[in-house]
Amino acid sequence: MKLSVFRPILCLAALLFFAAIPVSPAADEKAPVAAAGASDFNAKNTFRNICSFCHEDYGRKAGKGPQLMNNTNSDEYLFNRIKNGKAGRMAAFGGAFTDDQIRDMVKFIRSLRPDQEP
Amino acid sequence: MKLENRLTVKGVLFAAVTGVVWSATASADVTHESILKADPANWPTYHGSFKSWHYSALDQINSKNVKGLKEAWSHMPSRATRGLQSFPLAADGVLYYTSAYNQLYALDGATGAVLWIYKQKLDEDLVAKQTHSPYNRGVALGNGNVYMGTLDGKLVAVDMKTGKLNWETKLVDSKKLTVGFTGAPLFVKDKVIIGAQGGEWPGRGPIFGVEAKSGQLVWTFNTSGGNEGTPSDRRDTWGGDSWKTGGGGGWMAGAYDPETDTVWWGTANPAPLYDWAGPEWQTKGPRPGTNLYTTAVILLNPDTGELKNYHQELPHDAWDFDSSMGEFVFLERDGKKYVVHPNKGGHVFVYDRGGKVQNVYAGVDNINFVKGVDPKTGELIGRRDMVEGKHTNLCPAIAGGYSWNAGTYNPKTGLYYRVGYEWCMDLEIVKTTPVLEPMAQLNIGANFTMHGPGSDKAWGHVRARDPITGKVKWAMDFKNGIPHGSLLSTGGNLLFIPEADGHLSAVDASTGKVLWRHNNGNLHDGGIITYMAKGKQYVAVEVGKGSLVTDGYGDLWGEPYSSMPTDGGILKVFALD
């Protein structure tokens, strides 16, 4: 039996059978969209939206990437690593964020403490 | 001068001009019909055959003589950044595989002699900006070409015999979306099918059907919302315009059912990964609704890309447990035909050949993102939908109960073997705004910390089970690093397990008894195959740590993982004396 013969039936069946949960999505929660250069840049939000994929617990703990809290490298080193990345270990975010935004990220990393929420 | 040396000298001169090393050595063509024929001497497609068994009937190496298995040859690729995560293929004694930065190798399967090397000219500045990069997970063979998706959004066709580029087609605007292709394509009839990276990136997660001969794009299927103006259009399952940034995609090669002329493909999760709407996800949050066709199994017409059917394994996936595992194990039991598909959340879904759920069972012990899945309908029971704020002990962790490394089905034992992962995590769900300009960025939606279940360290297992009922026949536990290479089983009653600590093990496929072990010196993160060359059976396995799953092994278990290099890899090939 070829599925294509029964395609209309299957499509209908799919709509009836597989759409397990009826949906009435609200349009009032339209997903906001931001450019990286937006003036409301927030280092903490950016960190947990992007950086937390590799640096766990806001970077207070290692994960796929190293722990960032108490990092002994200089601010300049951190700035350059965020901006330029390192092949195979970390993406370069220089094209996504401005220098000022990256400096804000470095400040956020420097503010991390083990006993208080960032 | 030896042949190998002559080829090398010629290759260096040629490479200086074109980037391609060439020799006159050729292999026979791979066709749709030859893949259907499934000659065990070859491994012509990612999953071994269209049946996705990752099994070979070869039995020259078997449970009685495997203790005599030794390294025959090896090959070290350049720029093995993030190790080796691809999957070798073999046809008529020639082995093809890739390393990072879309470097493609054709080697003599008996000696390892380099036949040609193809190095894709990449937009390296773009690649440097990618987080899920620069690895490649494999290629497809067919119509005289080796097909490879590139990090910067192209599909290329390289001549199997000469290593010369025949065509390349730009499919994804990677400068805008940041991501491109890392997964293997699937060659079916006269088409090459490939899914883009997606998931946590705010795009529409397209899957493409491309003319194999010319490289012309024939069809596109958008996994985020389906295609406008067709019956697949389900943008109504996304609140507002959230379908525009819905994620999805299909980053692992799917499978093909010749009896129904249907491509089966697993799709990735929606974006953001985690959703602050909690139980009100149908009407609130960043992507209200079921979010079709993310975290789903879709059945496509290979000629047109038309959607024939689907089953969304996790409606409104709020846990990053996508359906991207590409293996769709086609098998028969008591006269009935099934398709077995693992989901990243740790469940195994069993379908009939039309896509209707026949059974669902848990493949791992630690699952609490749902209380269960109805085995008759596939409906989720007792969802754990999390609101903004902190949550503890979500199981499995983000890396999944199952990962993208393939399992294997052995028709002789009737058992399905797969690596399972027992780990959990604490997380803080956060409200996010997707960053789209100037380049799309990850859209995670949570801050998390992985740990073991309860007071245990994370652990895992290889379980051999009935693929339909899930009943376990035997199991092997791993307490200090869980295998992340794919599995291979053979007609010689062998199961090969590329382990995390560097050992490659061969075990009795019927009992799990370890028969042979060899230390390859680094973690396995890629594929393993067996094939014939010059009348002899070989086993080829990729060695080299660096996937986004095993990157966390040092933090979870310490040594030897903390000090394992992630910038090197090697292809090792074994045979009997």
Side-chain angles (χ1 to χ4, degrees):
Chain A
M1 176 178 86
K2 286 203 169 190
L3 273 177
S4 55
V5 175
F6 296 90
R7 189 178 307 135
I9 298 172
L10 282 175
C11 287
L12 178 61
L15 292 174
L16 295 174
F17 193 87
F18 287 95
I21 301 169
V23 176
S24 302
D28 61 337
E29 293 225 10
K30 181 177 176 180
V33 170
S39 58
D40 58 347
F41 179 82
N42 181 298
K44 179 178 176 179
N45 288 345
T46 302
F47 192 96
R48 59 193 185 185
N49 199 27
I50 300 171
C51 315
S52 62
F53 192 70
C54 295
H55 305 283
E56 296 187 2
D57 194 16
Y58 291 103
R60 296 189 296 185
K61 178 180 175 298
K64 301 178 186 70
Q67 175 180 311
L68 298 176
M69 182 178 65
N70 300 328
N71 188 292
T72 56
N73 291 298
S74 67
D75 287 2
E76 183 182 9
Y77 178 95
L78 293 177
F79 175 89
N80 287 326
R81 178 56 61 88
I82 296 170
K83 183 172 182 176
N84 303 317
K86 181 182 179 183
R89 301 308 306 160
M90 178 168 164
F93 290 96
F97 301 109
T98 66
D99 285 0
D100 284 345
Q101 290 169 338
I102 294 173
R103 288 190 189 95
D104 282 351
M105 296 295 293
V106 175
K107 285 180 188 171
F108 173 76
I109 291 167
R110 293 301 190 203
S111 74
L112 294 171
R113 299 287 181 274
D115 53 353
Q116 67 184 59
E117 290 298 300
Chain B
M1 184 182 281
K2 285 183 177 180
L3 175 63
E4 291 85 347
N5 292 340
R6 188 153 41 85
L7 289 174
T8 301
V9 172
K10 181 166 39 171
V12 169
L13 292 172
F14 199 75
V17 179
T18 67
V20 175
V21 179
W22 178 86
S23 86
T25 305
S27 63
D29 197 5
V30 173
T31 64
H32 179 80
E33 289 70 28
S34 70
I35 297 174
L36 282 173
K37 188 180 172 186
D39 180 351
N42 299 325
W43 195 286
T45 186
Y46 188 94
H47 299 299
S49 73
F50 285 140
K51 293 181 177 178
S52 290
W53 287 359
H54 286 262
Y55 163 85
S56 170
L58 295 181
D59 60 0
Q60 201 178 80
I61 303 167
N62 56 56
S63 56
K64 290 186 173 60
N65 62 19
V66 70
K67 60 181 177 295
L69 201 61
K70 292 180 179 174
E71 276 192 50
W73 57 267
S74 58
H75 179 261
M76 186 175 289
S78 59
R79 301 185 79 187
T81 307
R82 285 190 172 276
L84 284 180
Q85 302 183 40
S86 70
F87 211 99
L89 300 181
D92 292 299
V94 177
L95 187 147
Y96 305 86
Y97 86 108
T98 58
S99 62
Y101 295 97
N102 289 120
Q103 305 197 35
L104 171 60
Y105 306 86
L107 309 173
D108 183 308
T111 66
V114 176
L115 304 179
W116 53 258
I117 301 172
Y118 174 82
K119 298 183 178 183
Q120 177 70 15
K121 291 178 182 174
L122 291 166
D123 180 342
E124 299 258 354
D125 183 57
L126 167 63
V127 173
K129 294 181 169 68
Q130 298 174 325
T131 54
H132 292 35
S133 182
Y135 47 82
N136 174 269
R137 299 242 169 90
V139 294
L141 303 177
N143 203 47
N145 291 320
V146 185
Y147 303 98
M148 174 172 63
T150 72
L151 297 166
D152 52 2
K154 297 174 184 173
L155 179 65
V156 301
V158 177
D159 192 293
M160 284 178 69
K161 296 177 182 175
T162 67
K164 291 180 180 175
L165 180 69
N166 276 338
W167 55 255
E168 65 176 26
T169 300
K170 183 79 172 175
L171 295 173
V172 171
D173 183 359
S174 297
K175 285 195 172 180
K176 185 80 175 171
L177 292 174
T178 309
V179 295
F181 298 105
T182 54
L186 178 71
F187 175 76
V188 175
K189 298 200 288 187
D190 59 351
K191 300 288 188 305
V192 185
I193 300 167
I194 188 166
Q197 288 175 282
E200 43 276 25
W201 279 275
R204 294 200 65 193
I207 296 172
F208 301 99
V210 176
E211 185 70 38
K213 190 174 181 181
S214 66
Q216 183 180 354
L217 175 64
V218 179
W219 56 260
T220 302
F221 183 82
N222 292 305
T223 60
S224 176
N227 291 356
E228 297 93 314
T230 75
S232 72
D233 186 353
R234 292 306 305 272
R235 288 173 293 164
D236 62 329
T237 62
W238 298 81
D241 289 336
S242 58
W243 55 273
K244 292 180 179 176
T245 54
W251 47 271
M252 290 296 288
Y256 174 70
D257 182 359
E259 294 182 28
T260 59
D261 191 28
T262 303
V263 166
W264 290 62
W265 211 275
T267 68
N269 53 284
L273 289 185
Y274 301 97
D275 176 358
W276 60 84
E280 297 183 282
W281 57 265
Q282 293 189 59
T283 54
K284 296 186 184 303
R287 46 179 173 85
T290 52
N291 305 151
L292 287 173
Y293 297 89
T294 58
T295 311
V297 167
I298 57 175
L299 284 66
L300 301 175
N301 180 322
D303 300 317
T304 64
E306 184 180 5
L307 182 71
K308 293 182 171 187
N309 207 346
Y310 69 94
H311 175 73
Q312 192 175 32
E313 293 181 335
L314 304 184
H316 191 91
D317 176 5
W319 314 278
D320 189 18
F321 294 152
D322 48 335
S323 301
S324 289
M325 286 69 179
E327 70 200 76
F328 291 91
V329 182
F330 292 88
L331 53 87
E332 293 187 35
R333 174 73 59 83
D334 300 327
K336 197 167 180 181
K337 297 180 178 181
Y338 296 96
V339 183
V340 177
H341 181 251
N343 174 275
K344 186 179 171 186
H347 290 95
V348 177
F349 288 74
V350 181
Y351 300 97
D352 68 12
R353 295 293 175 90
K356 185 172 186 292
V357 171
Q358 304 297 301
N359 189 24
V360 183
Y361 57 85
V364 299
D365 300 340
N366 291 280
I367 297 176
N368 65 18
F369 76 97
V370 290
K371 289 181 178 173
V373 181
D374 188 319
K376 293 181 179 174
T377 65
E379 186 176 356
L380 306 189
I381 302 167
R383 296 171 59 106
R384 182 177 175 182
D385 289 298
M386 299 168 286
V387 296
E388 184 180 12
K390 293 190 174 183
H391 304 268
T392 58
N393 201 42
L394 175 71
C395 309
I398 185 172
Y402 286 129
S403 190
W404 54 265
N405 49 329
T408 173
Y409 170 71
N410 189 316
K412 283 192 167 181
T413 63
L415 297 172
Y416 178 47
Y417 311 84
R418 215 176 200 288
V419 181
Y421 301 82
E422 306 289 355
W423 44 29
C424 305
M425 67 180 191
D426 302 331
L427 72 164
E428 178 188 12
I429 305 282
V430 297
K431 287 185 176 177
T432 67
T433 302
V435 174
L436 301 179
E437 301 290 346
M439 299 176 72
Q441 298 296 319
L442 284 168
N443 193 11
I444 307 292
N447 179 49
F448 53 83
T449 304
M450 285 177 63
H451 53 74
S455 58
D456 294 337
K457 277 193 169 185
W459 63 285
H461 41 74
V462 170
R463 287 176 176 166
R465 63 173 82 241
D466 182 301
I468 307 300
T469 67
K471 183 181 179 183
V472 175
K473 182 178 180 185
W474 61 260
M476 182 182 293
D477 291 346
F478 296 86
K479 299 292 187 183
N480 188 42
I482 312 167
H484 198 252
S486 291
L487 303 179
L488 163 71
S489 69
T490 73
N493 194 35
L494 292 172
L495 172 68
F496 287 90
I497 305 173
E499 297 179 28
D501 68 0
H503 284 89
L504 173 63
S505 295
V507 309
D508 185 305
S510 301
T511 65
K513 180 184 177 185
V514 177
L515 303 173
W516 174 87
R517 288 186 95 209
H518 178 85
N519 191 347
N520 282 331
N522 200 347
L523 184 146
H524 301 89
D525 248 339
I528 180 170
I529 65 169
T530 187
Y531 63 94
M532 295 289 284
K534 295 184 172 66
K536 195 169 184 177
Q537 183 183 355
Y538 294 86
V539 174
V541 64
E542 295 187 357
V543 185
K545 174 175 179 278
S547 74
L548 289 166
V549 174
T550 61
D551 266 354
Y553 277 24
D555 185 52
L556 288 167
W557 292 290
E559 296 297 349
Y561 307 106
S562 298
S563 59
M564 278 182 174
T566 57
D567 56 357
I570 190 167
L571 177 80
K572 289 204 174 187
V573 180
F574 298 85
L576 298 171
D577 281 339

